[in-house]
Amino acid sequence: MRRHGVFGALVLLGMVARVLVMVAYPPGLMYLGDSGAYLDQAWRGLWPGDWRPSGYPIFLRLVDGPEHITRIVLIQHGLTLVVAAGLYASALRVVRRPWLAALAAAPALLAPWVLDLGQFVLADSLFGVLVGAGVVLLAWPRRVRAPMAAAAGALLGAALCVRTVGYGPLAVALIVLVLDTARAGAGPSCAGRASRLPWRWVHPGRRMLPVLALLLGAAVPAGAYAGWSAAEGAGFTVSAHSGFFLYGRVAPFADCTDIAGAELRSLCDPRPVDQRGAPVRYLWPADSPLRQGNRRVPPGREELAGRFAHEVVRDQPWMLVTSSARYLLGYFSPVPHETTKTSRADTWELPTDRTNALPPDDPHADDGYFVATTVRAPAGLLAAWSRVSYPLMPLVGVGLVAGLAAAAVGAVRTWRARPGRRGRAVAAPRTPRTPGEPGTAHAAIPAAEGSGAADGGSGGLLRLYCLAAGAGGTTLVLSAVTSGFDYRYLGAVIGLIGLAAMMGVIAFVRVVRHRPSGWVDRLPRQGG
């Protein structure tokens, strides 16, 4: 147990922090609009055609959440601890140093956004748990077998039914498994360790079993949900309102000069782009161009909004790309990123007040806001901890870039070593020294060494990096493209993003220094 002392201390801190959050904001935090809609579905009756996927209301129904709000947040906090333990175990297999693995898992344990979202009756915490658990299952074994891939697929498919941006993590998992199947070299990459037996000796159908198992596992929850939606007349889909949300996303920058037809032009905001608001301003208020003074969207207007959105994307794709890039960069700002085009940062900080509702004349008045039934003494300490997140985000960004650089360097070296050198040295020439003699640290590095997911090599690091950064990154990218900027999107995957940043830094150091897989053994050992 002493070997895992750092992680144990962090787990203890994480448990204490969650207890303080539950004491400070009983029975839970509510977000205007979303929380009530989720509870209403779980209480009155589930249906697939709501504005948001019904996966979270199904979860609420399973845990009898509408009757016991405290039970909801207790389960959510507990699940985040379980996923953090899984991420620690996955990191430990590739870095082989408990203190490094503990630092990699620290964001999943202690990040203020994780603590905050766990106390909300919102889908984001459950989404992060499902995606994180899916990544753990794919990262844990030396080589993913079909049962493990099917279980990971089921978790990622369930995440898709909670938030539709779950398509991103599922696509990343599929790509990594395909790379696992196709890998032939042993250089560092997003694929795992090269097989001990040549791949040509393995039947192609058997090699594809994990890929097929992942797809079948994901198809079970996603297909069942889509079938339920089709049976209710909402179409074979997990999101019946994608055009609605895409309209809100493009309306802030839409140039209606080339929009044809009076109906479509009625959805335009006549104000200059720099005077327009955030995407939510065009979706929910009654005075929005979409609703035209009605509390409900008039018949036919949602379909019209979908057509409008697709025309704007077709005519102004670069605006969608650049605005999404600005949203993504905003997450790595050392101070809260908040403009007229984004949501409010303080909504997702642990609060000291019972609500952060704004007066009607405020530019962010149409944003959602939180409501707390009670705010107790630990709130001041927790609010101070929330402000620690922002200065650390540039470091997270550096770690992610380092991982990309490590993957690029490893790919180049593998390509250079490939012609006629498979299995031969890729570093210094061979020396007559025997292994273990002084000076052998810079001897030849076999091509297969350091590429495994289980031996602490760069390949295993980069595979975990690709899974974690890919799952977290695609969630943020799809959210930025389809919805906009909101710190709760980051909070759902900050555990994965933080772990990926740590893996990226370690992989970059290993690749640049060109050390054999045992170099990490020279790092300080915990407990002597």
Side-chain angles (χ1 to χ4, degrees), residues 379-416:
L381 176 64
L382 294 170
W385 177 241
S386 279
R387 291 187 283 274
V388 173
S389 300
Y390 305 107
L392 298 177
M393 288 309 299
L395 300 178
V396 174
V398 169
L400 295 176
V401 173
L404 291 175
V409 171
V412 170
R413 287 179 176 172
T414 300
W415 178 79
R416 288 179 175 178

PDB file of all heavy atoms in Angstrom, residues 379-416:
ATOM      1  N   ALA A 379     -18.713  26.689   1.739  1.00  0.00           N
ATOM      2  CA  ALA A 379     -18.821  27.259   0.391  1.00  0.00           C
ATOM      3  C   ALA A 379     -17.691  28.242   0.093  1.00  0.00           C
ATOM      4  O   ALA A 379     -17.189  28.288  -1.041  1.00  0.00           O
ATOM      5  CB  ALA A 379     -20.173  27.935   0.223  1.00  0.00           C
ATOM      6  N   GLY A 380     -17.274  29.053   1.085  1.00  0.00           N
ATOM      7  CA  GLY A 380     -16.202  30.016   0.833  1.00  0.00           C
ATOM      8  C   GLY A 380     -14.903  29.344   0.453  1.00  0.00           C
ATOM      9  O   GLY A 380     -14.220  29.763  -0.493  1.00  0.00           O
ATOM     10  N   LEU A 381     -14.536  28.281   1.155  1.00  0.00           N
ATOM     11  CA  LEU A 381     -13.325  27.532   0.840  1.00  0.00           C
ATOM     12  C   LEU A 381     -13.420  26.884  -0.536  1.00  0.00           C
ATOM     13  O   LEU A 381     -12.470  26.901  -1.322  1.00  0.00           O
ATOM     14  CB  LEU A 381     -13.089  26.469   1.915  1.00  0.00           C
ATOM     15  CG  LEU A 381     -11.909  25.523   1.710  1.00  0.00           C
ATOM     16  CD1 LEU A 381     -10.597  26.294   1.734  1.00  0.00           C
ATOM     17  CD2 LEU A 381     -11.910  24.427   2.779  1.00  0.00           C
ATOM     18  N   LEU A 382     -14.571  26.319  -0.830  1.00  0.00           N
ATOM     19  CA  LEU A 382     -14.764  25.648  -2.118  1.00  0.00           C
ATOM     20  C   LEU A 382     -14.736  26.653  -3.270  1.00  0.00           C
ATOM     21  O   LEU A 382     -14.188  26.364  -4.345  1.00  0.00           O
ATOM     22  CB  LEU A 382     -16.089  24.886  -2.115  1.00  0.00           C
ATOM     23  CG  LEU A 382     -16.157  23.706  -1.139  1.00  0.00           C
ATOM     24  CD1 LEU A 382     -17.583  23.184  -1.025  1.00  0.00           C
ATOM     25  CD2 LEU A 382     -15.221  22.586  -1.582  1.00  0.00           C
ATOM     26  N   ALA A 383     -15.315  27.826  -3.068  1.00  0.00           N
ATOM     27  CA  ALA A 383     -15.289  28.853  -4.111  1.00  0.00           C
ATOM     28  C   ALA A 383     -13.861  29.302  -4.402  1.00  0.00           C
ATOM     29  O   ALA A 383     -13.487  29.536  -5.561  1.00  0.00           O
ATOM     30  CB  ALA A 383     -16.157  30.034  -3.699  1.00  0.00           C
ATOM     31  N   ALA A 384     -13.048  29.430  -3.344  1.00  0.00           N
ATOM     32  CA  ALA A 384     -11.644  29.785  -3.548  1.00  0.00           C
ATOM     33  C   ALA A 384     -10.917  28.702  -4.345  1.00  0.00           C
ATOM     34  O   ALA A 384     -10.073  29.003  -5.202  1.00  0.00           O
ATOM     35  CB  ALA A 384     -10.962  30.007  -2.198  1.00  0.00           C
ATOM     36  N   TRP A 385     -11.223  27.437  -4.073  1.00  0.00           N
ATOM     37  CA  TRP A 385     -10.606  26.331  -4.816  1.00  0.00           C
ATOM     38  C   TRP A 385     -11.008  26.371  -6.288  1.00  0.00           C
ATOM     39  O   TRP A 385     -10.203  26.037  -7.162  1.00  0.00           O
ATOM     40  CB  TRP A 385     -11.002  25.007  -4.179  1.00  0.00           C
ATOM     41  CG  TRP A 385     -10.481  23.798  -4.899  1.00  0.00           C
ATOM     42  CD1 TRP A 385     -11.226  22.806  -5.475  1.00  0.00           C
ATOM     43  CD2 TRP A 385      -9.116  23.453  -5.119  1.00  0.00           C
ATOM     44  NE1 TRP A 385     -10.414  21.859  -6.039  1.00  0.00           N
ATOM     45  CE2 TRP A 385      -9.104  22.226  -5.838  1.00  0.00           C
ATOM     46  CE3 TRP A 385      -7.917  24.043  -4.771  1.00  0.00           C
ATOM     47  CZ2 TRP A 385      -7.930  21.607  -6.216  1.00  0.00           C
ATOM     48  CZ3 TRP A 385      -6.735  23.421  -5.163  1.00  0.00           C
ATOM     49  CH2 TRP A 385      -6.753  22.209  -5.872  1.00  0.00           C
ATOM     50  N   SER A 386     -12.231  26.806  -6.585  1.00  0.00           N
ATOM     51  CA  SER A 386     -12.679  26.879  -7.977  1.00  0.00           C
ATOM     52  C   SER A 386     -11.789  27.786  -8.810  1.00  0.00           C
ATOM     53  O   SER A 386     -11.575  27.535 -10.002  1.00  0.00           O
ATOM     54  CB  SER A 386     -14.124  27.391  -8.045  1.00  0.00           C
ATOM     55  OG  SER A 386     -15.047  26.370  -7.786  1.00  0.00           O
ATOM     56  N   ARG A 387     -11.274  28.832  -8.214  1.00  0.00           N
ATOM     57  CA  ARG A 387     -10.482  29.797  -8.973  1.00  0.00           C
ATOM     58  C   ARG A 387      -9.063  29.294  -9.266  1.00  0.00           C
ATOM     59  O   ARG A 387      -8.317  29.947 -10.008  1.00  0.00           O
ATOM     60  CB  ARG A 387     -10.438  31.130  -8.219  1.00  0.00           C
ATOM     61  CG  ARG A 387     -11.796  31.829  -8.196  1.00  0.00           C
ATOM     62  CD  ARG A 387     -11.707  33.219  -7.599  1.00  0.00           C
ATOM     63  NE  ARG A 387     -11.603  33.193  -6.146  1.00  0.00           N
ATOM     64  CZ  ARG A 387     -12.648  33.138  -5.324  1.00  0.00           C
ATOM     65  NH1 ARG A 387     -13.872  33.096  -5.829  1.00  0.00           N
ATOM     66  NH2 ARG A 387     -12.471  33.131  -4.012  1.00  0.00           N
ATOM     67  N   VAL A 388      -8.700  28.147  -8.703  1.00  0.00           N
ATOM     68  CA  VAL A 388      -7.382  27.568  -8.973  1.00  0.00           C
ATOM     69  C   VAL A 388      -7.320  26.964 -10.371  1.00  0.00           C
ATOM     70  O   VAL A 388      -6.231  26.843 -10.966  1.00  0.00           O
ATOM     71  CB  VAL A 388      -7.045  26.509  -7.900  1.00  0.00           C
ATOM     72  CG1 VAL A 388      -5.771  25.761  -8.231  1.00  0.00           C
ATOM     73  CG2 VAL A 388      -6.943  27.163  -6.530  1.00  0.00           C
ATOM     74  N   SER A 389      -8.450  26.591 -10.929  1.00  0.00           N
ATOM     75  CA  SER A 389      -8.474  25.857 -12.199  1.00  0.00           C
ATOM     76  C   SER A 389      -7.867  26.649 -13.345  1.00  0.00           C
ATOM     77  O   SER A 389      -7.062  26.120 -14.127  1.00  0.00           O
ATOM     78  CB  SER A 389      -9.912  25.492 -12.572  1.00  0.00           C
ATOM     79  OG  SER A 389     -10.498  24.679 -11.593  1.00  0.00           O
ATOM     80  N   TYR A 390      -8.245  27.918 -13.461  1.00  0.00           N
ATOM     81  CA  TYR A 390      -7.894  28.670 -14.666  1.00  0.00           C
ATOM     82  C   TYR A 390      -6.392  28.830 -14.880  1.00  0.00           C
ATOM     83  O   TYR A 390      -5.914  28.610 -16.009  1.00  0.00           O
ATOM     84  CB  TYR A 390      -8.591  30.033 -14.634  1.00  0.00           C
ATOM     85  CG  TYR A 390     -10.080  29.956 -14.453  1.00  0.00           C
ATOM     86  CD1 TYR A 390     -10.678  30.312 -13.244  1.00  0.00           C
ATOM     87  CD2 TYR A 390     -10.898  29.505 -15.484  1.00  0.00           C
ATOM     88  CE1 TYR A 390     -12.044  30.233 -13.073  1.00  0.00           C
ATOM     89  CE2 TYR A 390     -12.283  29.419 -15.312  1.00  0.00           C
ATOM     90  CZ  TYR A 390     -12.850  29.785 -14.107  1.00  0.00           C
ATOM     91  OH  TYR A 390     -14.205  29.694 -13.929  1.00  0.00           O
ATOM     92  N   PRO A 391      -5.588  29.212 -13.865  1.00  0.00           N
ATOM     93  CA  PRO A 391      -4.144  29.374 -14.115  1.00  0.00           C
ATOM     94  C   PRO A 391      -3.441  28.093 -14.553  1.00  0.00           C
ATOM     95  O   PRO A 391      -2.359  28.162 -15.158  1.00  0.00           O
ATOM     96  CB  PRO A 391      -3.598  29.856 -12.755  1.00  0.00           C
ATOM     97  CG  PRO A 391      -4.765  30.433 -12.044  1.00  0.00           C
ATOM     98  CD  PRO A 391      -5.938  29.609 -12.485  1.00  0.00           C
ATOM     99  N   LEU A 392      -4.029  26.937 -14.263  1.00  0.00           N
ATOM    100  CA  LEU A 392      -3.404  25.672 -14.630  1.00  0.00           C
ATOM    101  C   LEU A 392      -3.708  25.249 -16.072  1.00  0.00           C
ATOM    102  O   LEU A 392      -3.008  24.388 -16.614  1.00  0.00           O
ATOM    103  CB  LEU A 392      -3.862  24.566 -13.673  1.00  0.00           C
ATOM    104  CG  LEU A 392      -3.497  24.747 -12.203  1.00  0.00           C
ATOM    105  CD1 LEU A 392      -4.080  23.613 -11.369  1.00  0.00           C
ATOM    106  CD2 LEU A 392      -1.977  24.803 -12.021  1.00  0.00           C
ATOM    107  N   MET A 393      -4.718  25.826 -16.670  1.00  0.00           N
ATOM    108  CA  MET A 393      -5.134  25.364 -17.997  1.00  0.00           C
ATOM    109  C   MET A 393      -4.080  25.577 -19.089  1.00  0.00           C
ATOM    110  O   MET A 393      -3.957  24.744 -20.000  1.00  0.00           O
ATOM    111  CB  MET A 393      -6.459  26.000 -18.391  1.00  0.00           C
ATOM    112  CG  MET A 393      -7.656  25.456 -17.615  1.00  0.00           C
ATOM    113  SD  MET A 393      -7.756  23.645 -17.620  1.00  0.00           S
ATOM    114  CE  MET A 393      -7.933  23.312 -19.381  1.00  0.00           C
ATOM    115  N   PRO A 394      -3.289  26.687 -19.079  1.00  0.00           N
ATOM    116  CA  PRO A 394      -2.223  26.764 -20.094  1.00  0.00           C
ATOM    117  C   PRO A 394      -1.231  25.611 -20.005  1.00  0.00           C
ATOM    118  O   PRO A 394      -0.727  25.138 -21.035  1.00  0.00           O
ATOM    119  CB  PRO A 394      -1.556  28.113 -19.775  1.00  0.00           C
ATOM    120  CG  PRO A 394      -2.611  28.917 -19.109  1.00  0.00           C
ATOM    121  CD  PRO A 394      -3.407  27.926 -18.307  1.00  0.00           C
ATOM    122  N   LEU A 395      -0.942  25.143 -18.783  1.00  0.00           N
ATOM    123  CA  LEU A 395      -0.044  23.997 -18.640  1.00  0.00           C
ATOM    124  C   LEU A 395      -0.655  22.742 -19.247  1.00  0.00           C
ATOM    125  O   LEU A 395       0.051  21.922 -19.845  1.00  0.00           O
ATOM    126  CB  LEU A 395       0.288  23.772 -17.156  1.00  0.00           C
ATOM    127  CG  LEU A 395       0.978  24.921 -16.432  1.00  0.00           C
ATOM    128  CD1 LEU A 395       1.201  24.563 -14.958  1.00  0.00           C
ATOM    129  CD2 LEU A 395       2.304  25.263 -17.104  1.00  0.00           C
ATOM    130  N   VAL A 396      -1.963  22.585 -19.088  1.00  0.00           N
ATOM    131  CA  VAL A 396      -2.646  21.454 -19.703  1.00  0.00           C
ATOM    132  C   VAL A 396      -2.526  21.533 -21.225  1.00  0.00           C
ATOM    133  O   VAL A 396      -2.256  20.529 -21.900  1.00  0.00           O
ATOM    134  CB  VAL A 396      -4.128  21.434 -19.281  1.00  0.00           C
ATOM    135  CG1 VAL A 396      -4.889  20.342 -20.030  1.00  0.00           C
ATOM    136  CG2 VAL A 396      -4.248  21.212 -17.775  1.00  0.00           C
ATOM    137  N   GLY A 397      -2.695  22.734 -21.759  1.00  0.00           N
ATOM    138  CA  GLY A 397      -2.539  22.899 -23.200  1.00  0.00           C
ATOM    139  C   GLY A 397      -1.146  22.549 -23.675  1.00  0.00           C
ATOM    140  O   GLY A 397      -0.972  21.909 -24.720  1.00  0.00           O
ATOM    141  N   VAL A 398      -0.125  22.955 -22.913  1.00  0.00           N
ATOM    142  CA  VAL A 398       1.259  22.620 -23.272  1.00  0.00           C
ATOM    143  C   VAL A 398       1.454  21.101 -23.282  1.00  0.00           C
ATOM    144  O   VAL A 398       2.104  20.547 -24.179  1.00  0.00           O
ATOM    145  CB  VAL A 398       2.239  23.289 -22.289  1.00  0.00           C
ATOM    146  CG1 VAL A 398       3.658  22.742 -22.480  1.00  0.00           C
ATOM    147  CG2 VAL A 398       2.235  24.795 -22.491  1.00  0.00           C
ATOM    148  N   GLY A 399       0.879  20.419 -22.288  1.00  0.00           N
ATOM    149  CA  GLY A 399       0.999  18.966 -22.244  1.00  0.00           C
ATOM    150  C   GLY A 399       0.360  18.286 -23.438  1.00  0.00           C
ATOM    151  O   GLY A 399       0.907  17.319 -23.990  1.00  0.00           O
ATOM    152  N   LEU A 400      -0.791  18.796 -23.870  1.00  0.00           N
ATOM    153  CA  LEU A 400      -1.454  18.211 -25.039  1.00  0.00           C
ATOM    154  C   LEU A 400      -0.622  18.418 -26.302  1.00  0.00           C
ATOM    155  O   LEU A 400      -0.490  17.506 -27.135  1.00  0.00           O
ATOM    156  CB  LEU A 400      -2.838  18.838 -25.211  1.00  0.00           C
ATOM    157  CG  LEU A 400      -3.847  18.555 -24.097  1.00  0.00           C
ATOM    158  CD1 LEU A 400      -5.145  19.312 -24.346  1.00  0.00           C
ATOM    159  CD2 LEU A 400      -4.131  17.057 -23.976  1.00  0.00           C
ATOM    160  N   VAL A 401      -0.057  19.598 -26.450  1.00  0.00           N
ATOM    161  CA  VAL A 401       0.801  19.861 -27.613  1.00  0.00           C
ATOM    162  C   VAL A 401       2.052  18.991 -27.564  1.00  0.00           C
ATOM    163  O   VAL A 401       2.518  18.480 -28.595  1.00  0.00           O
ATOM    164  CB  VAL A 401       1.167  21.357 -27.668  1.00  0.00           C
ATOM    165  CG1 VAL A 401       2.205  21.616 -28.767  1.00  0.00           C
ATOM    166  CG2 VAL A 401      -0.077  22.202 -27.929  1.00  0.00           C
ATOM    167  N   ALA A 402       2.601  18.790 -26.366  1.00  0.00           N
ATOM    168  CA  ALA A 402       3.781  17.933 -26.229  1.00  0.00           C
ATOM    169  C   ALA A 402       3.484  16.514 -26.688  1.00  0.00           C
ATOM    170  O   ALA A 402       4.322  15.866 -27.322  1.00  0.00           O
ATOM    171  CB  ALA A 402       4.254  17.938 -24.775  1.00  0.00           C
ATOM    172  N   GLY A 403       2.285  16.019 -26.374  1.00  0.00           N
ATOM    173  CA  GLY A 403       1.911  14.681 -26.823  1.00  0.00           C
ATOM    174  C   GLY A 403       1.837  14.590 -28.331  1.00  0.00           C
ATOM    175  O   GLY A 403       2.278  13.595 -28.933  1.00  0.00           O
ATOM    176  N   LEU A 404       1.282  15.620 -28.963  1.00  0.00           N
ATOM    177  CA  LEU A 404       1.241  15.633 -30.431  1.00  0.00           C
ATOM    178  C   LEU A 404       2.646  15.642 -31.018  1.00  0.00           C
ATOM    179  O   LEU A 404       2.934  14.941 -31.995  1.00  0.00           O
ATOM    180  CB  LEU A 404       0.463  16.860 -30.914  1.00  0.00           C
ATOM    181  CG  LEU A 404      -1.047  16.878 -30.634  1.00  0.00           C
ATOM    182  CD1 LEU A 404      -1.644  18.207 -31.071  1.00  0.00           C
ATOM    183  CD2 LEU A 404      -1.743  15.728 -31.356  1.00  0.00           C
ATOM    184  N   ALA A 405       3.533  16.439 -30.414  1.00  0.00           N
ATOM    185  CA  ALA A 405       4.914  16.481 -30.895  1.00  0.00           C
ATOM    186  C   ALA A 405       5.599  15.138 -30.714  1.00  0.00           C
ATOM    187  O   ALA A 405       6.344  14.675 -31.596  1.00  0.00           O
ATOM    188  CB  ALA A 405       5.687  17.574 -30.154  1.00  0.00           C
ATOM    189  N   ALA A 406       5.353  14.472 -29.577  1.00  0.00           N
ATOM    190  CA  ALA A 406       5.956  13.152 -29.347  1.00  0.00           C
ATOM    191  C   ALA A 406       5.479  12.145 -30.380  1.00  0.00           C
ATOM    192  O   ALA A 406       6.262  11.337 -30.894  1.00  0.00           O
ATOM    193  CB  ALA A 406       5.615  12.661 -27.941  1.00  0.00           C
ATOM    194  N   ALA A 407       4.172  12.189 -30.693  1.00  0.00           N
ATOM    195  CA  ALA A 407       3.641  11.277 -31.711  1.00  0.00           C
ATOM    196  C   ALA A 407       4.269  11.549 -33.070  1.00  0.00           C
ATOM    197  O   ALA A 407       4.596  10.619 -33.816  1.00  0.00           O
ATOM    198  CB  ALA A 407       2.123  11.407 -31.777  1.00  0.00           C
ATOM    199  N   ALA A 408       4.459  12.835 -33.398  1.00  0.00           N
ATOM    200  CA  ALA A 408       5.054  13.184 -34.688  1.00  0.00           C
ATOM    201  C   ALA A 408       6.506  12.725 -34.771  1.00  0.00           C
ATOM    202  O   ALA A 408       6.940  12.141 -35.767  1.00  0.00           O
ATOM    203  CB  ALA A 408       4.957  14.694 -34.906  1.00  0.00           C
ATOM    204  N   VAL A 409       7.277  12.981 -33.700  1.00  0.00           N
ATOM    205  CA  VAL A 409       8.686  12.552 -33.692  1.00  0.00           C
ATOM    206  C   VAL A 409       8.785  11.038 -33.776  1.00  0.00           C
ATOM    207  O   VAL A 409       9.602  10.485 -34.525  1.00  0.00           O
ATOM    208  CB  VAL A 409       9.389  13.074 -32.424  1.00  0.00           C
ATOM    209  CG1 VAL A 409      10.786  12.459 -32.298  1.00  0.00           C
ATOM    210  CG2 VAL A 409       9.492  14.590 -32.462  1.00  0.00           C
ATOM    211  N   GLY A 410       7.952  10.347 -33.016  1.00  0.00           N
ATOM    212  CA  GLY A 410       7.975   8.890 -33.056  1.00  0.00           C
ATOM    213  C   GLY A 410       7.626   8.345 -34.420  1.00  0.00           C
ATOM    214  O   GLY A 410       8.231   7.377 -34.896  1.00  0.00           O
ATOM    215  N   ALA A 411       6.654   8.973 -35.088  1.00  0.00           N
ATOM    216  CA  ALA A 411       6.259   8.520 -36.423  1.00  0.00           C
ATOM    217  C   ALA A 411       7.390   8.711 -37.423  1.00  0.00           C
ATOM    218  O   ALA A 411       7.646   7.852 -38.269  1.00  0.00           O
ATOM    219  CB  ALA A 411       5.006   9.271 -36.878  1.00  0.00           C
ATOM    220  N   VAL A 412       8.085   9.847 -37.324  1.00  0.00           N
ATOM    221  CA  VAL A 412       9.199  10.106 -38.240  1.00  0.00           C
ATOM    222  C   VAL A 412      10.318   9.092 -38.023  1.00  0.00           C
ATOM    223  O   VAL A 412      10.875   8.547 -38.979  1.00  0.00           O
ATOM    224  CB  VAL A 412       9.712  11.543 -38.050  1.00  0.00           C
ATOM    225  CG1 VAL A 412      11.026  11.751 -38.805  1.00  0.00           C
ATOM    226  CG2 VAL A 412       8.676  12.542 -38.531  1.00  0.00           C
ATOM    227  N   ARG A 413      10.634   8.837 -36.770  1.00  0.00           N
ATOM    228  CA  ARG A 413      11.707   7.876 -36.495  1.00  0.00           C
ATOM    229  C   ARG A 413      11.335   6.476 -36.955  1.00  0.00           C
ATOM    230  O   ARG A 413      12.173   5.733 -37.460  1.00  0.00           O
ATOM    231  CB  ARG A 413      12.016   7.876 -34.996  1.00  0.00           C
ATOM    232  CG  ARG A 413      12.757   9.122 -34.541  1.00  0.00           C
ATOM    233  CD  ARG A 413      13.013   9.103 -33.056  1.00  0.00           C
ATOM    234  NE  ARG A 413      13.803  10.255 -32.642  1.00  0.00           N
ATOM    235  CZ  ARG A 413      14.052  10.581 -31.390  1.00  0.00           C
ATOM    236  NH1 ARG A 413      13.571   9.821 -30.408  1.00  0.00           N
ATOM    237  NH2 ARG A 413      14.781  11.638 -31.094  1.00  0.00           N
ATOM    238  N   THR A 414      10.081   6.123 -36.763  1.00  0.00           N
ATOM    239  CA  THR A 414       9.647   4.805 -37.224  1.00  0.00           C
ATOM    240  C   THR A 414       9.751   4.700 -38.734  1.00  0.00           C
ATOM    241  O   THR A 414      10.197   3.689 -39.285  1.00  0.00           O
ATOM    242  CB  THR A 414       8.192   4.562 -36.778  1.00  0.00           C
ATOM    243  OG1 THR A 414       8.129   4.611 -35.362  1.00  0.00           O
ATOM    244  CG2 THR A 414       7.703   3.196 -37.256  1.00  0.00           C
ATOM    245  N   TRP A 415       9.357   5.759 -39.420  1.00  0.00           N
ATOM    246  CA  TRP A 415       9.418   5.749 -40.891  1.00  0.00           C
ATOM    247  C   TRP A 415      10.863   5.639 -41.369  1.00  0.00           C
ATOM    248  O   TRP A 415      11.164   4.907 -42.308  1.00  0.00           O
ATOM    249  CB  TRP A 415       8.781   7.035 -41.418  1.00  0.00           C
ATOM    250  CG  TRP A 415       8.835   7.134 -42.917  1.00  0.00           C
ATOM    251  CD1 TRP A 415       8.029   6.516 -43.822  1.00  0.00           C
ATOM    252  CD2 TRP A 415       9.769   7.913 -43.664  1.00  0.00           C
ATOM    253  NE1 TRP A 415       8.399   6.855 -45.102  1.00  0.00           N
ATOM    254  CE2 TRP A 415       9.467   7.713 -45.031  1.00  0.00           C
ATOM    255  CE3 TRP A 415      10.824   8.754 -43.323  1.00  0.00           C
ATOM    256  CZ2 TRP A 415      10.183   8.337 -46.043  1.00  0.00           C
ATOM    257  CZ3 TRP A 415      11.542   9.383 -44.327  1.00  0.00           C
ATOM    258  CH2 TRP A 415      11.221   9.169 -45.681  1.00  0.00           C
ATOM    259  N   ARG A 416      11.769   6.346 -40.702  1.00  0.00           N
ATOM    260  CA  ARG A 416      13.175   6.287 -41.117  1.00  0.00           C
ATOM    261  C   ARG A 416      13.790   4.923 -40.846  1.00  0.00           C
ATOM    262  O   ARG A 416      14.672   4.479 -41.586  1.00  0.00           O
ATOM    263  CB  ARG A 416      13.978   7.357 -40.373  1.00  0.00           C
ATOM    264  CG  ARG A 416      13.696   8.771 -40.837  1.00  0.00           C
ATOM    265  CD  ARG A 416      14.508   9.767 -40.040  1.00  0.00           C
ATOM    266  NE  ARG A 416      14.338  11.125 -40.538  1.00  0.00           N
ATOM    267  CZ  ARG A 416      14.908  12.198 -40.000  1.00  0.00           C
ATOM    268  NH1 ARG A 416      15.694  12.056 -38.929  1.00  0.00           N
ATOM    269  NH2 ARG A 416      14.710  13.388 -40.512  1.00  0.00           N
TER     270      ARG A 416
END
